[in-house]
Amino acid sequence: MVSGTSNRANESLNENGLRIAQDVTCYLSKLESGKKLMFPQHEERRTHLFLMNGHLELQCSDGNFDLKPGDAARIRKSCDLHMTSAGSEPAEFVLIDLP
């Protein structure tokens, strides 16, 4: 995980994470085949998702989307993102949460 804030009040967020001077959190994720994950997107935040391997079903307020390796998604509305690894192999992706 790479994480940062524009202030130092959040200094102990994650001692194992790489600190950057921005209000952003990056997750490198591996979702096993058939497993589901929900990411709550908050007001005034945006989410970018980049799929590297596997297949991912993405559900949000804008609809349902099937992503394949190399696909990306940008979500600007506040919603709960529901992700399901849909292929026979794990879905590997980067999820970036930013203002």
Side-chain angles (χ1 to χ4, degrees), residues 36 55-59 64-67 82-86:
K36 297 181 180 189
H55 289 81
L56 193 67
E57 293 176 356
L58 178 65
Q59 299 173 343
N64 300 331
F65 305 93
D66 292 320
L67 304 179
H82 295 272
M83 296 162 273
T84 304
S85 179

Side-chain angles (χ1 to χ4, degrees), residues 2-3 20 22-29 39 41 45-50 73-75 81 83 93-99:
V2 177
S3 180
I20 57 175
Q22 297 295 318
D23 184 13
V24 63
T25 303
C26 299
Y27 302 94
L28 178 59
S29 303
F39 180 79
Q41 183 181 16
R45 303 294 291 178
R46 294 177 298 166
T47 303
H48 292 260
L49 187 141
F50 303 92
R74 179 178 64 185
I75 299 92
L81 301 177
M83 296 162 273
F93 57 94
V94 175
L95 188 143
I96 302 172
D97 172 55
L98 63 157

Side-chain angles (χ1 to χ4, degrees), residues 9-26:
N10 213 355
E11 201 63 36
S12 65
L13 178 66
N14 183 343
E15 293 177 10
N16 296 323
L18 174 64
R19 306 276 313 153
I20 57 175
Q22 297 295 318
D23 184 13
V24 63
T25 303
C26 299

